[in-house]
Amino acid sequence: MSKSVFVGELTWKEYAARVAQGDCVMLLPVGALEQHGHHMCMNVDVLLPTAVCKQVAERIDALVLPGLQYGYKSQQKSGGGNHFPGTTSLDGATLTGTVQDIIRELARHGARRLVLMNGHYENSMFIVEGIDLALRELRYAGITDFRVVVLSYWDFIRDPAVIEALYPEGFLGWDIEHGGVFETSLMLALYPHLVDMDKVVDHPPATFPPYDVFPVIPERTPACGTLSSARGASREKGELILRVCTEGIAAAVQEAFATPS
Amino acid sequence: MSKSVFVGELTWKEYAARVAQGDCVMLLPVGALEQHGHHMCMNVDVLLPTAVCKQVAERIDALVLPGLQYGYKSQQKSGGGNHFPGTTSLDGATLTGTVQDIIRELARHGARRLVLMNGHYENSMFIVEGIDLALRELRYAGITDFRVVVLSYWDFIRDPAVIEALYPEGFLGWDIEHGGVFETSLMLALYPHLVDMDKVVDHPPATFPPYDVFPVIPERTPACGTLSSARGASREKGELILRVCTEGIAAAVQEAFATPS
Amino acid sequence: MSKSVFVGELTWKEYAARVAQGDCVMLLPVGALEQHGHHMCMNVDVLLPTAVCKQVAERIDALVLPGLQYGYKSQQKSGGGNHFPGTTSLDGATLTGTVQDIIRELARHGARRLVLMNGHYENSMFIVEGIDLALRELRYAGITDFRVVVLSYWDFIRDPAVIEALYPEGFLGWDIEHGGVFETSLMLALYPHLVDMDKVVDHPPATFPPYDVFPVIPERTPACGTLSSARGASREKGELILRVCTEGIAAAVQEAFATPS
Amino acid sequence: MSKSVFVGELTWKEYAARVAQGDCVMLLPVGALEQHGHHMCMNVDVLLPTAVCKQVAERIDALVLPGLQYGYKSQQKSGGGNHFPGTTSLDGATLTGTVQDIIRELARHGARRLVLMNGHYENSMFIVEGIDLALRELRYAGITDFRVVVLSYWDFIRDPAVIEALYPEGFLGWDIEHGGVFETSLMLALYPHLVDMDKVVDHPPATFPPYDVFPVIPERTPACGTLSSARGASREKGELILRVCTEGIAAAVQEAFATPS
Amino acid sequence: MSKSVFVGELTWKEYAARVAQGDCVMLLPVGALEQHGHHMCMNVDVLLPTAVCKQVAERIDALVLPGLQYGYKSQQKSGGGNHFPGTTSLDGATLTGTVQDIIRELARHGARRLVLMNGHYENSMFIVEGIDLALRELRYAGITDFRVVVLSYWDFIRDPAVIEALYPEGFLGWDIEHGGVFETSLMLALYPHLVDMDKVVDHPPATFPPYDVFPVIPERTPACGTLSSARGASREKGELILRVCTEGIAAAVQEAFATPS
Amino acid sequence: MSKSVFVGELTWKEYAARVAQGDCVMLLPVGALEQHGHHMCMNVDVLLPTAVCKQVAERIDALVLPGLQYGYKSQQKSGGGNHFPGTTSLDGATLTGTVQDIIRELARHGARRLVLMNGHYENSMFIVEGIDLALRELRYAGITDFRVVVLSYWDFIRDPAVIEALYPEGFLGWDIEHGGVFETSLMLALYPHLVDMDKVVDHPPATFPPYDVFPVIPERTPACGTLSSARGASREKGELILRVCTEGIAAAVQEAFATPS
């Protein structure tokens, strides 16, 4: 049996031994099943944070929990909207409850360090609520040393030189990167068989008014579902992103758990 | 009895008459009770959207519902964190339920147009969830023509000239505007007796790593609670903001309800 | 900045200093948005307990939290029923959750004394449940000295002489005082511009069978929405009520927190 | 097999035949497990409404559903408080959910007329909420002709002559009748073996301030648990109560379902 | 007043005295209101575990709590399905909440030993969840010595000789014993007036495919509602079952609470 | 881009085209993260139903949704108990909510046929509840033709000859097959690198009393976590199981959706 960074591929004894070391970091990818345009599969938001988690885990000797496969409802300005067929989303309370339950269980195992790596923009606040409710419960149980880090892996692309390399014609913001150059490049680097660059629809970046309307007005989203064109994506960019994210996150995680709680 | 834009100040007959007109827009301020530094009171996030709602309502003949006084938990990077005394926050489900209940009731009244004007960054996603759950219920009840607009009033400051006027030394992002120039200027224009500019703590803008840690590490927030200095605030800036927001939002609301659903 | 009894008008530092004194009493008005007949506005149940709270707070050096603007569903025998346009009510769980959340937060601040001043008959049991759930949680957190007082301000009119003064033709019970002499007099004393005595509908007291029917049978409620006529209301009566309630509640609160827990 | 008024004692075919008649009234006793002093058993609040339901059912050809055995938390001023051993209470949401579930199922069966007969003061509002949530759901299901009556059987003692007969020394209000003359007399008439008049503690009526304190201050409740003395109870009074309640409720139920919905 | 094993028939003082002994076992019957064929009443699943609880309680000096009258939704392969008129079921969360609430209250009384005696197959997992949530809460409250036993009384028929006596033509499994020989025999021994053997429908045992379909396909259940014929039922078999279950459960309960926790 | 049976690997357009055909069957694996002894990884209950789903999908042209990675709490008699480190379980409400949300979304997409393939014994009833709540909601939305099949793949091993081949020394029941011959053989056939037969602990089958105790008594579970020895497992048995399950389930699914709803 191979030594895996994936918790699901360990026996409980192997896992218990790791947790018993006291400082083992658990990484939980939090994704979604969501349309990503005509050129890309729908589990991008699971695959990408899982891949980043795997690389980070190998680097800092952490473990990766089975990723959450479904996320919060796609919003028009960040994911196109929840009206697309295929996009399969949870109510906020369900996502929050899932995070809360997992933290409660990890604490029971003896783990005290968790990183939630988000791959779907809309998940963030429901993850935060799950953490808050879980830590509240843990305090009731007398556990006060459980620390959680939350991050969205794309937030680690901060170096202007990297942004310039990725977006030589100018960066337009993470909000419209849904199915665009960023995610597509990463998929090309990691899962090229799940991308079909010939199907990329080359449209101008989506623009939205400074408000949201519900029920969603589908016509405001580009018909293909992406919010910016993936035309500029490349495997090389994906490899750059992966390297920068992995290095940045590995360092951040170590820093975050080094500070005393 | 004065003709008021505030629903709470109308009799039910007056309200019913307005709703019966069919196109009456309801505005709901959604705020918080949250620390806003040493120089400002804690109900800023209620007062400001309520004031904007009032001005918008007067301009477009809309009505303003009683504002939500408590909001979602303050996050470190946008509000300093939920560890401050005074900051009094709701669980996500409570805020979501409140929004859902109010929409259900408005629909019963016959209203079909609602604007949720958010004054507290952290509320957004829980408002969205409340809307989604409410519209789902309304569909079960056979009501499909209820339209909701959600906005944060600061998102209507988009004109570079205005931003330049407000931040001659450079704009650093809405995220760290908590208790800073923007909110303080508006308060100076609207409620100067609730601001004490002498108590402004002049600190450099808060900076945060690209991840969040829970439980919060209080030291990462400037001790006074603001995320950027309010030193540059002025009544004149507040009046500018108010005018730009009111005009922008009034136009946006009319546009949003003009498009057929 | 003025010294206010309203928590929302204090800075967090001012609030923290008050709480640090240990014996600071917090007052929370709990209201509703509900029809109150043809002659009165719909936020009576918020305005009145807030005004009483303010006067009590000034007298005993307490603080007043932002009031709850929405309450539990109007019942036919006490508020006319929840079928009126304008009446905007919460599900029981939402009101309960709001109370629970606020208590949890106050306890975190260090406060230990809370008075919930109810202004809407139907709220009572859902407030009680919120308190019970919150105190249960606080016990889990090891906090056992948080004490809560709940009251409806009208219950402090007990002196037969006062009742005689208010109702020279005989008192018919609090249950049908919805929009009647009691509330209208208080409004005349406090917010005369929100009352139009010319619009009072002078009808005999509502009578109901000793059971309730759901869905409500609207015809059982007087068409104007009040359950007894406000014809006998006066500013003088309102001032009397206000004085008696304020004095009685101030004394009661001091008594309630004097007994050791 | 005997023809029973109790749904639980019918076969499903017998029940289905009754429901198919269209106008069959279902009666649901809603009780509690609660201390009732030193002289009486703890299931009084189930036994009494069940007995009244049985008599009403026999009179108007209705059916009696299995009663709810557990109720909402005992309150100090109406039941002594929820701190007594033996008193076993539900959270509000649980009681509400039970009522909601039962109504949903009755509607599925084809029933359209339900009477909730409450035997425990504190249940009322949570029953009301259960009804409201259930009827809301039924509307979503397209069912708008389900009518529910809620009553507390003691509210049918309204005739001054009867009150005079029961309380020759003056009636003090239903609120302190917990374990007093009223309930004890009924038990003597119906279940004399569950009453021990020798153990009645003869204390003056409980008096309470016009507010509630949480956590409860146990000393405010008479140590035996009753709120007024049962000394004046008698089998004859119980028979009178039973007759008056049965007649009044039978008439009320027929009246309530006669009016068109 | 008779000494009863039923908690509901004790005064709170009697109950308190029993609980104060420290080792008192509480028994809670958990039933359902569910069709049981043409020949038997619908409260079988309450009556039978209650009767077994009574006999066990008398034997081991335990107490019996008021039974839960409504259970989880009938499933086609174990109860015929939830589409029959009369079958009146709770949502899972309601049953779970009821169990949780009762355990919380028993713990408050000082009780530490509870047996949940299930009489309705479909209840099991929702009971388990209620226990788990309650024990979690009790841990937060610092109570770690509350022990719960869950059992379905039919699981104590394990002796092949007994099974042979009950099913001389072969035992087909508990799953299809709904309304069959087992339950009918017990009813004949305990409540013969609630059984009409002339109405037994003699059909071959129900057979089902190895999967479930929702919405249920009613035709897959025998039209009468039983899953196997009760033709072979007899009072003698019922007495045998009762004796074996009572003895087995009494011994099991003593064993379960003898082991240190 | 390869044509995949996995929904996550399709673009939304490909998925939409499949759903538009009207009769497309969706398969949802429902698993757990649970200890499976010393010799096997912890994601067995996800891997196995996913593999069966894949084979069934290829055979009947169905699609496989992303599997649920976490399941309900492990029970002692079927999974060893929820006290093991590594076993990471959800509250019942979370699992139920997840199933409900996914069904609601599939219905929105236009899908009408879903198979939930369970790989973790304890999930069953919470899946059933999720389905029931979802179909109830769909009825409110006017959708009555959504059909769901639930199955546990091991229930398709019914042929005595197959059971004889798998268990030449006698079959002891599915309940104690946790981590035993059945699951281990399948893993050997499908994921041999995740099994280490050298680590199999050869113990006699676990035996349990006919009741459950909470909190769990860990000593009652074999220390290694399996409930029966996997010693007799083999790749050949796994291939046999896989073939029998795949064929049986494929036929069952076609049969289940052929019957008119």
Side-chain angles (χ1 to χ4, degrees):
Chain A
M1 232 166 132
S2 64
K3 260 295 159 54
S4 171
V5 296
F6 290 107
V7 167
E9 299 187 352
L10 302 180
T11 70
W12 73 270
K13 292 291 282 183
E14 291 165 343
Y15 174 83
R18 290 296 302 277
V19 169
Q21 291 165 11
D23 59 355
C24 184
V25 173
M26 303 289 160
L27 306 173
L28 175 62
V30 188
L33 182 68
E34 187 189 25
Q35 68 84 14
H36 274 77
H38 290 185
H39 69 294
M40 222 158 34
C41 58
M42 293 199 287
N43 59 356
V44 165
D45 291 354
V46 174
L47 293 179
L48 295 184
T50 302
V52 176
C53 279
K54 179 170 182 289
Q55 299 218 356
V56 170
E58 287 165 353
R59 190 176 284 249
I60 66 167
D61 199 25
L63 293 178
V64 183
L65 288 155
L68 304 189
Q69 309 290 308
Y70 299 91
Y72 186 67
K73 296 155 194 168
S74 180
Q75 297 298 303
Q76 188 160 37
K77 292 182 184 175
S78 48
N82 211 62
H83 55 292
F84 282 87
T87 298
T88 306
S89 307
L90 303 178
D91 278 4
T94 310
L95 179 54
T96 291
T98 303
V99 170
Q100 182 178 4
D101 290 352
I102 291 173
I103 293 176
R104 191 192 305 110
E105 287 285 71
L106 294 178
R108 176 176 62 72
H109 304 162
R112 290 295 180 269
R113 300 176 174 197
L114 172 66
V115 178
L116 288 134
M117 193 176 297
N118 184 26
H120 176 65
Y121 193 88
E122 291 86 344
N123 287 339
S124 296
M125 291 307 286
F126 300 99
I127 292 174
V128 162
E129 177 70 343
I131 295 167
D132 189 74
L133 298 184
L135 295 186
R136 183 194 294 172
E137 270 198 85
L138 294 189
R139 284 195 301 273
Y140 298 161
I143 297 173
T144 58
D145 60 345
F146 197 108
R147 179 173 281 186
V148 186
V149 167
V150 195
L151 58 88
S152 295
Y153 63 88
W154 54 80
D155 284 334
F156 285 78
I157 304 295
R158 307 178 112 191
D159 178 345
V162 173
I163 292 182
E164 164 68 21
L166 298 176
Y167 304 97
E169 297 170 27
F171 178 54
L172 293 163
W174 293 122
D175 41 346
I176 58 163
E177 259 306 323
H178 181 73
V181 165
F182 186 80
E183 290 184 319
T184 306
S185 296
L186 266 175
M187 287 296 290
L188 286 172
L190 288 160
Y191 304 96
H193 67 291
L194 294 172
V195 185
D196 181 348
M197 288 300 291
D198 293 346
K199 295 232 177 99
V200 167
V201 177
D202 199 20
H203 60 78
T207 58
F208 297 103
Y211 57 86
D212 291 282
V213 178
F214 297 89
V216 76
I217 299 172
E219 295 70 31
R220 293 194 174 172
T221 302
C224 62
T226 52
L227 299 186
S228 57
S229 170
R231 183 59 66 222
S234 72
R235 179 176 169 167
E236 292 69 28
K237 288 184 180 178
E239 286 165 352
L240 171 62
I241 293 168
L242 191 60
R243 193 175 65 243
V244 172
C245 285
T246 301
E247 287 172 4
I249 293 172
V253 169
Q254 289 179 311
E255 171 194 81
F257 291 114
T259 20
S261 64
Chain B
M1 232 165 134
S2 63
K3 261 298 162 49
S4 171
V5 296
F6 290 107
V7 167
E9 299 186 353
L10 303 179
T11 69
W12 73 270
K13 292 292 282 185
E14 291 165 344
Y15 174 83
R18 293 295 302 279
V19 168
Q21 291 165 12
D23 59 355
C24 185
V25 173
M26 304 289 159
L27 307 173
L28 175 62
V30 189
L33 183 67
E34 187 190 26
Q35 69 83 14
H36 275 75
H38 291 185
H39 70 293
M40 224 162 28
C41 58
M42 293 198 288
N43 60 356
V44 165
D45 291 355
V46 174
L47 293 179
L48 294 183
T50 301
V52 176
C53 279
K54 179 171 181 290
Q55 298 219 356
V56 170
E58 286 165 354
R59 190 176 284 249
I60 66 168
D61 200 23
L63 293 177
V64 183
L65 289 154
L68 304 190
Q69 310 290 308
Y70 299 90
Y72 186 67
K73 297 157 195 168
S74 180
Q75 298 297 302
Q76 188 160 37
K77 292 183 186 174
S78 48
N82 211 62
H83 56 290
F84 282 87
T87 298
T88 306
S89 307
L90 303 178
D91 278 4
T94 310
L95 178 54
T96 291
T98 303
V99 169
Q100 181 178 4
D101 290 352
I102 291 173
I103 293 176
R104 190 192 303 111
E105 286 287 71
L106 294 177
R108 176 178 61 74
H109 304 163
R112 290 294 180 271
R113 299 176 174 196
L114 172 65
V115 177
L116 288 134
M117 192 175 300
N118 184 26
H120 176 65
Y121 194 87
E122 291 86 343
N123 287 338
S124 296
M125 290 306 286
F126 300 99
I127 292 174
V128 162
E129 177 69 344
I131 294 166
D132 188 74
L133 298 184
L135 295 186
R136 183 195 292 171
E137 269 199 85
L138 294 187
R139 284 195 302 274
Y140 298 160
I143 297 172
T144 58
D145 59 346
F146 197 108
R147 178 173 283 186
V148 186
V149 168
V150 194
L151 58 88
S152 295
Y153 63 88
W154 54 82
D155 283 335
F156 286 77
I157 305 296
R158 307 179 114 191
D159 179 345
V162 173
I163 291 182
E164 164 69 21
L166 298 177
Y167 304 97
E169 297 169 28
F171 178 53
L172 294 164
W174 293 120
D175 41 345
I176 58 163
E177 259 306 325
H178 182 72
V181 165
F182 186 81
E183 290 185 319
T184 305
S185 295
L186 266 175
M187 287 296 291
L188 285 172
L190 288 160
Y191 304 96
H193 66 292
L194 294 172
V195 186
D196 183 347
M197 288 301 290
D198 293 345
K199 295 232 178 99
V200 167
V201 177
D202 200 21
H203 60 79
T207 56
F208 297 103
Y211 57 85
D212 290 282
V213 178
F214 297 89
V216 76
I217 299 172
E219 295 70 32
R220 294 194 173 171
T221 302
C224 63
T226 52
L227 299 186
S228 56
S229 171
R231 183 59 65 221
S234 72
R235 178 176 171 169
E236 292 68 29
K237 288 184 178 177
E239 287 165 350
L240 171 62
I241 293 168
L242 192 60
R243 193 175 65 245
V244 171
C245 285
T246 301
E247 288 172 3
I249 293 172
V253 169
Q254 290 179 309
E255 171 194 80
F257 291 115
T259 21
S261 62
Chain C
M1 238 165 127
S2 63
K3 260 293 160 55
S4 171
V5 297
F6 290 107
V7 167
E9 299 186 353
L10 302 180
T11 69
W12 73 269
K13 292 292 281 184
E14 291 165 343
Y15 174 83
R18 291 296 303 276
V19 169
Q21 291 165 13
D23 59 355
C24 185
V25 174
M26 304 289 159
L27 306 172
L28 176 62
V30 188
L33 182 67
E34 187 189 26
Q35 68 84 14
H36 275 76
H38 290 185
H39 69 293
M40 223 158 32
C41 58
M42 292 198 289
N43 59 356
V44 165
D45 291 355
V46 174
L47 292 179
L48 294 184
T50 302
V52 176
C53 279
K54 179 170 181 289
Q55 298 219 358
V56 170
E58 287 166 354
R59 190 175 285 248
I60 66 168
D61 200 23
L63 293 178
V64 183
L65 288 154
L68 303 190
Q69 309 289 308
Y70 300 89
Y72 186 67
K73 296 155 194 169
S74 180
Q75 297 298 301
Q76 188 161 36
K77 292 182 184 174
S78 48
N82 211 61
H83 55 292
F84 282 87
T87 298
T88 306
S89 307
L90 303 178
D91 279 3
T94 311
L95 179 53
T96 291
T98 304
V99 170
Q100 181 178 4
D101 290 351
I102 291 173
I103 293 176
R104 189 192 304 111
E105 286 286 70
L106 295 178
R108 176 176 62 73
H109 304 164
R112 290 294 180 270
R113 300 177 173 195
L114 172 65
V115 178
L116 287 135
M117 193 176 298
N118 184 26
H120 176 64
Y121 194 88
E122 290 86 343
N123 286 339
S124 297
M125 291 306 286
F126 300 99
I127 292 175
V128 162
E129 177 70 343
I131 295 167
D132 188 74
L133 298 184
L135 294 186
R136 182 194 293 170
E137 269 198 86
L138 294 188
R139 284 195 301 275
Y140 298 161
I143 297 173
T144 59
D145 60 346
F146 198 108
R147 178 174 282 186
V148 185
V149 167
V150 194
L151 58 88
S152 295
Y153 63 89
W154 54 82
D155 283 334
F156 285 78
I157 304 296
R158 306 177 114 192
D159 178 345
V162 173
I163 292 182
E164 164 68 21
L166 298 177
Y167 304 97
E169 298 170 26
F171 178 54
L172 293 164
W174 294 122
D175 41 345
I176 58 164
E177 260 305 324
H178 182 74
V181 165
F182 186 82
E183 290 184 320
T184 306
S185 296
L186 267 175
M187 286 297 291
L188 285 171
L190 287 160
Y191 303 95
H193 67 290
L194 294 173
V195 186
D196 182 346
M197 287 302 289
D198 293 344
K199 295 232 178 101
V200 166
V201 177
D202 200 20
H203 60 77
T207 57
F208 297 104
Y211 57 86
D212 290 283
V213 178
F214 297 88
V216 77
I217 299 172
E219 296 70 32
R220 293 194 174 172
T221 302
C224 63
T226 53
L227 299 186
S228 57
S229 170
R231 182 59 65 222
S234 72
R235 178 177 171 167
E236 292 70 28
K237 287 184 180 178
E239 286 165 351
L240 172 61
I241 293 167
L242 191 59
R243 193 175 64 245
V244 172
C245 285
T246 302
E247 288 171 4
I249 293 171
V253 169
Q254 290 180 310
E255 172 194 80
F257 291 114
T259 21
S261 63
Chain D
M1 238 165 126
S2 65
K3 261 293 161 54
S4 171
V5 297
F6 290 107
V7 167
E9 298 186 353
L10 303 179
T11 69
W12 73 269
K13 292 292 282 184
E14 290 165 343
Y15 174 84
R18 292 295 303 278
V19 169
Q21 291 165 13
D23 59 356
C24 184
V25 173
M26 303 290 159
L27 306 173
L28 175 61
V30 189
L33 182 67
E34 188 189 27
Q35 68 82 14
H36 274 76
H38 290 185
H39 69 295
M40 225 161 29
C41 57
M42 293 198 289
N43 60 356
V44 165
D45 291 354
V46 174
L47 292 178
L48 295 183
T50 301
V52 176
C53 280
K54 179 170 181 289
Q55 298 218 357
V56 170
E58 286 165 354
R59 191 176 283 248
I60 66 168
D61 200 24
L63 293 177
V64 184
L65 288 155
L68 304 191
Q69 310 289 308
Y70 299 89
Y72 186 66
K73 296 156 195 168
S74 181
Q75 297 298 302
Q76 188 160 37
K77 291 182 185 175
S78 48
N82 211 62
H83 55 292
F84 283 88
T87 298
T88 306
S89 307
L90 302 178
D91 278 4
T94 311
L95 178 54
T96 291
T98 303
V99 169
Q100 181 178 4
D101 290 352
I102 291 173
I103 293 176
R104 190 192 304 112
E105 286 285 72
L106 294 177
R108 176 177 62 74
H109 303 163
R112 290 294 180 269
R113 299 176 173 195
L114 172 65
V115 178
L116 288 134
M117 193 175 299
N118 184 26
H120 176 65
Y121 193 89
E122 290 86 343
N123 286 339
S124 297
M125 291 307 287
F126 300 99
I127 291 174
V128 162
E129 177 69 344
I131 295 166
D132 189 75
L133 298 184
L135 295 185
R136 182 194 293 171
E137 269 199 86
L138 294 188
R139 284 195 302 274
Y140 298 161
I143 297 173
T144 58
D145 59 346
F146 197 109
R147 178 173 282 186
V148 186
V149 168
V150 194
L151 58 88
S152 296
Y153 64 88
W154 54 82
D155 283 334
F156 285 78
I157 305 295
R158 307 178 113 192
D159 179 345
V162 173
I163 291 181
E164 164 68 21
L166 298 176
Y167 304 97
E169 296 169 28
F171 177 54
L172 294 164
W174 293 120
D175 41 346
I176 59 163
E177 260 305 325
H178 181 73
V181 165
F182 187 82
E183 290 185 320
T184 306
S185 296
L186 267 175
M187 287 296 291
L188 285 171
L190 287 161
Y191 304 94
H193 67 291
L194 293 174
V195 186
D196 182 347
M197 287 300 290
D198 293 345
K199 296 231 177 101
V200 166
V201 177
D202 199 20
H203 60 78
T207 57
F208 297 103
Y211 57 86
D212 291 282
V213 178
F214 297 88
V216 76
I217 299 173
E219 296 70 33
R220 293 195 173 171
T221 302
C224 63
T226 53
L227 299 186
S228 57
S229 169
R231 183 59 65 222
S234 72
R235 178 175 170 167
E236 292 68 30
K237 287 183 178 177
E239 287 165 351
L240 172 62
I241 294 168
L242 191 60
R243 194 175 64 243
V244 171
C245 285
T246 302
E247 288 172 3
I249 294 172
V253 169
Q254 291 179 309
E255 173 194 80
F257 291 115
T259 21
S261 63
Chain E
M1 232 165 135
S2 64
K3 261 296 160 51
S4 171
V5 297
F6 290 107
V7 167
E9 299 187 352
L10 303 180
T11 70
W12 73 269
K13 292 292 281 184
E14 290 166 343
Y15 174 83
R18 292 297 301 279
V19 168
Q21 290 165 13
D23 59 355
C24 185
V25 173
M26 304 288 159
L27 306 172
L28 175 62
V30 189
L33 182 67
E34 187 189 26
Q35 68 84 14
H36 275 75
H38 290 185
H39 70 293
M40 226 161 27
C41 58
M42 292 198 288
N43 59 356
V44 165
D45 291 354
V46 174
L47 292 179
L48 295 183
T50 301
V52 175
C53 280
K54 179 170 181 291
Q55 298 219 357
V56 169
E58 287 166 354
R59 190 176 284 249
I60 66 167
D61 200 23
L63 293 177
V64 183
L65 288 155
L68 304 190
Q69 310 289 307
Y70 299 90
Y72 186 67
K73 297 155 194 169
S74 181
Q75 298 297 302
Q76 188 160 36
K77 291 182 185 175
S78 48
N82 210 62
H83 55 291
F84 282 87
T87 298
T88 306
S89 307
L90 303 178
D91 278 4
T94 310
L95 178 54
T96 291
T98 303
V99 169
Q100 181 179 4
D101 290 352
I102 291 173
I103 293 176
R104 190 192 303 111
E105 286 286 69
L106 295 177
R108 177 178 60 74
H109 304 162
R112 290 295 180 269
R113 299 175 173 196
L114 172 66
V115 177
L116 288 135
M117 193 175 299
N118 184 27
H120 176 65
Y121 194 88
E122 291 86 343
N123 286 339
S124 296
M125 290 307 287
F126 300 99
I127 292 175
V128 162
E129 177 70 343
I131 295 166
D132 188 74
L133 298 184
L135 294 186
R136 183 194 292 171
E137 269 199 84
L138 294 188
R139 285 195 301 274
Y140 298 161
I143 297 172
T144 58
D145 59 346
F146 197 107
R147 179 174 282 186
V148 186
V149 167
V150 194
L151 58 89
S152 295
Y153 64 88
W154 54 80
D155 284 333
F156 285 77
I157 305 296
R158 306 178 115 191
D159 178 345
V162 173
I163 291 182
E164 164 67 22
L166 298 176
Y167 304 98
E169 298 169 27
F171 178 54
L172 294 163
W174 294 121
D175 42 344
I176 60 164
E177 259 306 323
H178 181 74
V181 165
F182 186 81
E183 290 185 320
T184 305
S185 295
L186 266 175
M187 287 297 291
L188 286 172
L190 288 160
Y191 304 95
H193 67 291
L194 294 173
V195 185
D196 182 347
M197 288 300 290
D198 292 346
K199 295 232 178 100
V200 167
V201 177
D202 200 20
H203 60 77
T207 57
F208 297 103
Y211 57 85
D212 290 283
V213 178
F214 296 88
V216 76
I217 299 172
E219 296 70 32
R220 292 194 173 171
T221 302
C224 63
T226 52
L227 299 186
S228 56
S229 171
R231 183 58 66 222
S234 71
R235 179 176 169 167
E236 292 69 28
K237 287 184 178 177
E239 286 165 351
L240 171 61
I241 293 168
L242 191 59
R243 194 175 63 245
V244 171
C245 285
T246 302
E247 287 172 3
I249 293 172
V253 170
Q254 290 180 308
E255 172 194 80
F257 291 115
T259 18
S261 63
Chain F
M1 234 166 129
S2 66
K3 260 295 161 48
S4 171
V5 296
F6 289 107
V7 167
E9 299 186 353
L10 303 179
T11 70
W12 74 269
K13 292 291 282 184
E14 290 165 343
Y15 174 84
R18 291 296 302 279
V19 169
Q21 291 165 13
D23 59 354
C24 185
V25 173
M26 303 290 160
L27 307 173
L28 175 62
V30 189
L33 183 67
E34 187 189 26
Q35 68 83 13
H36 274 75
H38 291 185
H39 69 294
M40 224 160 31
C41 58
M42 293 198 288
N43 60 356
V44 164
D45 291 355
V46 174
L47 293 179
L48 295 183
T50 302
V52 176
C53 279
K54 178 170 183 289
Q55 298 219 354
V56 169
E58 287 165 353
R59 190 177 284 248
I60 66 168
D61 200 22
L63 293 178
V64 184
L65 288 154
L68 304 190
Q69 310 289 308
Y70 299 90
Y72 186 66
K73 297 156 195 168
S74 180
Q75 298 297 303
Q76 188 161 37
K77 292 182 184 174
S78 47
N82 211 63
H83 55 292
F84 283 86
T87 298
T88 305
S89 307
L90 303 178
D91 279 4
T94 310
L95 179 53
T96 291
T98 303
V99 170
Q100 181 178 3
D101 290 351
I102 291 173
I103 293 176
R104 190 191 305 110
E105 287 285 71
L106 294 177
R108 176 176 63 73
H109 303 162
R112 289 295 180 270
R113 299 176 174 196
L114 172 65
V115 178
L116 287 134
M117 193 176 298
N118 184 26
H120 176 64
Y121 194 88
E122 291 86 343
N123 286 339
S124 296
M125 290 307 286
F126 300 99
I127 291 174
V128 162
E129 177 69 343
I131 294 167
D132 188 75
L133 297 184
L135 294 185
R136 183 194 293 171
E137 271 199 85
L138 294 188
R139 285 195 300 275
Y140 298 161
I143 297 172
T144 59
D145 59 345
F146 197 108
R147 178 173 283 186
V148 186
V149 168
V150 194
L151 58 88
S152 295
Y153 63 88
W154 53 82
D155 284 334
F156 285 77
I157 304 296
R158 306 179 113 192
D159 178 346
V162 173
I163 291 182
E164 164 69 20
L166 297 176
Y167 304 98
E169 296 169 27
F171 177 54
L172 293 163
W174 293 121
D175 41 346
I176 58 164
E177 259 306 324
H178 181 73
V181 165
F182 186 81
E183 290 184 319
T184 306
S185 295
L186 267 174
M187 287 297 290
L188 285 172
L190 288 159
Y191 304 95
H193 66 291
L194 294 173
V195 186
D196 182 348
M197 288 301 289
D198 293 345
K199 294 233 178 99
V200 167
V201 177
D202 199 21
H203 59 78
T207 58
F208 297 103
Y211 57 86
D212 291 281
V213 178
F214 297 89
V216 77
I217 299 172
E219 296 70 31
R220 293 194 173 171
T221 302
C224 62
T226 53
L227 300 186
S228 56
S229 170
R231 183 60 64 223
S234 72
R235 177 176 172 168
E236 292 69 28
K237 288 183 180 178
E239 286 164 351
L240 171 62
I241 294 168
L242 191 61
R243 192 175 66 245
V244 171
C245 286
T246 301
E247 287 172 3
I249 293 172
V253 169
Q254 290 180 309
E255 172 194 81
F257 291 115
T259 20
S261 63

